[in-house]
Amino acid sequence: MATALCPGSFDPVTNGHLDIIERTARHFDDVIVAVIRNPQKTGSLFTLEERQELLHECVKHLSNVRIEFFKGLLVEFAKEHGASSIVKGLRAVSDFDYELQMAQMNQRLSGIDTFFISTSPQYSFLSSSLVKEVARFGGDVSTMVPPVVAERLQGRFVQEA
Ligand code: PNS
């Protein structure tokens, strides 16, 4: 059985993430959405539990996808879960340098290969950070994130205002 990881911070999950997860689920028997517990990026908006809850809601239609948390090295987590592949979305050339470097490092550390899926063009400008910024200032993100996430973002920033 071929298991793949879709890793990330998912703070919060966007339609771009979901597109990659759905497409990965068509190619692998088993997909683990690996949510990092200790991201290098500081200032998470959502707690781990909230991110997990939102992800669960968004992937519930995909029977071969599950959500797990990890900390430390991704490749250690991959080995522990029998995952032979990492799948990432590539939005633009600007993603490429860093993603290639990580893929090569992960390959060197473990032999685990990274596969890149080209982000669907309608999501190529999307990132969790930008979505949060737009939502914080009252912009409409309803076409960029699943409805449950849009609702949660709106609630969060209404509370803050
Ligand atoms: O959604 P993000 O924040 O872009 O995801 C980045 C993530 C979590 C995939 C990446 O930072 C990662 O894999 N971190 C785990 C630590 C690790 O294994 N580092 C070595 C990578 S070469």
Side-chain angles (χ1 to χ4, degrees), residues 73-151:
L73 287 177
L74 180 63
V75 291
E76 291 303 323
F77 175 82
K79 280 192 258 175
E80 282 160 23
H81 288 76
S84 53
S85 311
I86 295 167
V87 179
K88 294 279 196 83
L90 273 187
R91 288 169 295 194
V93 177
S94 51
D95 281 343
F96 183 73
D97 283 351
Y98 186 52
E99 291 296 345
L100 179 67
Q101 203 179 3
M102 281 203 288
Q104 288 171 330
M105 176 61 86
N106 285 332
Q107 220 282 334
R108 171 64 64 90
L109 287 172
S110 65
I112 292 172
D113 281 319
T114 299
F115 294 85
F116 294 111
I117 294 188
S118 56
T119 293
S120 296
Q122 68 268 33
Y123 303 130
S124 62
F125 64 96
L126 262 186
S127 71
S128 297
S129 315
L130 272 185
V131 162
K132 282 184 282 191
E133 188 172 317
V134 171
R136 186 183 299 276
F137 295 114
D140 179 10
V141 294
S142 59
T143 58
M144 303 171 200
V145 292
V148 65
V149 176
E151 214 173 281

Side-chain angles (χ1 to χ4, degrees), residues 5-10 33-39 48 68-78 80-81:
L5 299 184
C6 288
S9 318
F10 303 102
V33 178
V35 186
I36 189 162
R37 276 186 186 278
N38 52 340
L48 282 177
E68 301 271 357
F69 291 119
F70 77 101
K71 65 178 183 187
L73 287 177
L74 180 63
V75 291
E76 291 303 323
F77 175 82
E80 282 160 23
H81 288 76

Side-chain angles (χ1 to χ4, degrees), residues 1-5 24-25 28-32 63-66 81:
M1 184 163 89
T3 300
L5 299 184
T24 303
F28 289 85
D29 304 309
D30 180 35
V31 177
I32 303 176
S63 59
N64 58 338
V65 175
R66 58 202 155 101
H81 288 76

